[in-house]
Structure formats: C-alpha cells, structure tokens
Amino acid sequence: MEWISITGSWQYLQGSSDQPGLWNNQPAQGSLPVPQTAHLSGLLARHTTTTNRCWFAVWRGFGALVVPTVGIPTVAMTHRPMVLLTGPLTAATTSLEHPPWDQRASLWWPEDRAWCVATDVDLMTTYVGGSQACINALTADDRLEAIPVQADQRITWDSDSINPTPPRTAH
C-alpha cells in the first residue's frame, strides 16, 4: 500500500494536512522511528550470531550528519553514496544527525549477513530481507506493521495494488 492511495488524496503527502481522528501525522519518511527501530532490532537479534558487530550505512547527502563524510569507508549506491559505520546492533537507534534532525542508518546488517534492513531516504517504508524464520517472526509480531513482500515488489507512488491511486488535482 502507498500513502497517497490509503489517504485517498495527494494533499496528505509531505505532511501538508491531517485527518483528525484517523491520523494527525504521516509516517516518518526516510528514517524508522526509535520505538520501532528498538523493537525491530530486538527481534532481529534472535536471528544473528553477531549482534556485537553490525554495519550501518547512511546517505552522505544529509546536511547535519554527526559522522564524518570524508576519509571513511563508503558504500557506492547510485545517487546515494553512503558513509559506512560499524558498531553493535543496539546502535541502530542512534540518530546520525545533529538535533533537531533525527536520522538513523538507511541500511544496517550484522557481520554474519543473516538479514538486512533498508529504509530509503525518500520512502515511508522499511524493508527487511532475511531467512523465512526471521520474516515469519517479524510478520507475526503485533508491535510491528509488517507484511511479506516479493523481491520484485515495486515501491513507487503508483504501486499500491490494493487501494486506487487518486488523480492529481491542482490546488
């Protein structure tokens, strides 16, 4: 499902309006919120043997990063070069930008590569790749809004296969 389709209007994109009683804020874009990150990392810890050594990548283009962007390893991503950091799994909740901004790693995975978490800077959705047992644990957890998707699932504004995409209207 895509935000524009489930809200029924383009006016709710980028937090330009709310729907009181239903939601007052759109989901965070580009960074998984701390409570969900903490819970997710706790679940994922059960599916790796290397919780003390994980990798974290954050887009070098964020303007208020607290980590250096020159002279440290990077991950070459088309249009999104990322700074590569390492630390324990518990570091997944750490904001990598100076306040008041709040930005966690866009990509994170354990040393044993048992799973990988990805939140694109332009999306409201986080994806996790892992074993079937890992994905089953995530989708069965009541505290996460998680569904299994296929590797070829499109993630564009018009890819909602459940709710119709509303027409764009001039405001």
Side-chain angles (χ1 to χ4, degrees):
M1 297 189 313
E2 297 297 329
W3 185 248
I4 295 164
S5 296
I6 62 173
T7 62
S9 176
W10 286 82
Q11 75 180 3
Y12 301 113
L13 187 62
Q14 305 296 324
S16 59
S17 189
D18 60 20
Q19 293 183 350
L22 189 55
W23 54 72
N24 294 322
N25 298 300
Q26 69 182 31
Q29 186 172 328
S31 190
L32 190 60
V34 171
Q36 287 83 1
T37 303
H39 188 67
L40 177 60
S41 63
L43 292 172
L44 291 173
R46 301 174 196 156
H47 297 275
T48 179
T49 60
T50 58
T51 58
N52 289 329
R53 182 149 170 92
C54 293
W55 295 92
F56 302 91
V58 64
W59 180 42
R60 185 171 40 191
F62 286 116
L65 289 177
V66 297
V67 296
T69 59
V70 178
I72 63 170
T74 59
V75 175
M77 302 279 289
T78 305
H79 308 294
R80 298 255 198 278
M82 296 193 178
V83 176
L84 185 61
L85 309 163
T86 188
L89 179 55
T90 55
T93 59
T94 303
S95 177
L96 300 172
E97 280 196 304
H98 290 285
W101 294 279
D102 183 33
Q103 180 65 51
R104 270 157 299 294
S106 304
L107 295 171
W108 40 291
W109 65 94
E111 178 75 21
D112 65 7
R113 299 180 183 187
W115 44 260
C116 182
V117 176
T119 306
D120 186 270
V121 301
D122 291 327
L123 299 179
M124 299 174 183
T125 304
T126 295
Y127 292 86
V128 178
S131 68
Q132 192 63 57
C134 177
I135 300 307
N136 289 347
L138 300 183
T139 57
D141 191 280
D142 296 8
R143 294 182 56 195
L144 294 177
E145 184 178 333
I147 60 169
V149 296
Q150 298 301 313
D152 62 351
Q153 171 68 43
R154 290 184 22 230
I155 55 171
T156 57
W157 61 269
D158 63 346
S159 63
D160 190 327
S161 61
I162 298 171
N163 306 287
T165 303
R168 289 183 188 243
T169 57
H171 294 283

